[in-house]
Amino acid sequence: MPKPTLPMEGGCRCGQVRFRISAAPILTMACHCTGCQRMTASAFSLSAAIPAAGFEIIEGEPVIGGLHGADAHHYHCPHCKSWMFTKPRGMDWFVNIRPTMLDDASWFVPFIETYTSEKLPWAATPAAHSYEGFPPFETYEALVKEFAERA
Ligand SMILES: [Zn+2]
Ligand SMILES: [Zn+2]
């Protein structure tokens, strides 16, 4: 799998919000759930899990979008409304960024795919591991290790 060159920068569609990443992703994912289909206006979402210490907003003020609920910490540009990153509830050591916001996303390949139970019939990714829902919590450690060895 190609490696990203650090640091890397990215931004929303209009450029008002910009961010910088200075730590390598610990896992890369595609999610086929119907929520992600709606949020992306596409077949699936893409995520790169970045250690929180390696993620910073360098321009603009992202706002909460998506579900606005207790579980949803979806961050969007206040102007163009691009869905830029997600802070998973109760897991503040990483941030899931949308890799297509990066100025160069060519290194990105999803390592796992989730919610294949809800995927569009034609949708396929090159992910090494597929799950009907989310992977069982206890499998993440092994997935992160395997990803690090492959990356
Ligand atoms: Zn924007
Ligand atoms: Zn999803």
Side-chain angles (χ1 to χ4, degrees), residues 11-147:
C12 60
R13 178 78 195 263
C14 78
Q16 236 179 63
V17 179
R18 298 279 303 166
F19 60 85
R20 181 183 293 130
I21 288 167
S22 54
I26 55 173
L27 201 60
T28 58
M29 299 155 275
C31 183
H32 297 277
C33 83
T34 53
C36 284
Q37 290 180 29
R38 290 194 166 98
M39 298 267 295
T40 57
S42 188
F44 46 81
S45 70
L46 297 174
S47 295
I50 305 292
F55 173 80
E56 63 176 319
I57 301 293
I58 53 175
E59 243 180 88
E61 295 270 355
V63 295
I64 301 274
L67 287 178
H68 293 250
D71 285 334
H73 291 87
H74 301 128
Y75 286 84
H76 297 246
C77 168
H79 184 66
C80 71
K81 311 297 195 273
S82 299
W83 181 26
M84 303 184 70
F85 60 96
T86 303
K87 289 187 174 172
R89 179 178 154 80
M91 291 180 279
D92 56 3
W93 66 88
F94 72 95
V95 179
N96 277 335
I97 63 128
R98 310 277 87 78
T100 46
M101 302 294 144
L102 293 164
D103 297 338
D104 176 13
S106 60
W107 57 272
F108 181 88
V109 182
F111 180 62
I112 70 168
E113 62 180 350
T114 58
Y115 274 93
T116 56
S117 57
E118 297 182 359
K119 80 182 187 71
L120 292 177
W122 53 265
T125 79
H129 299 280
S130 296
Y131 298 90
E132 285 189 5
F134 284 123
F137 190 74
E138 62 276 11
T139 60
Y140 277 98
E141 199 180 317
L143 287 171
V144 165
K145 190 166 175 275
E146 190 186 330
F147 179 74

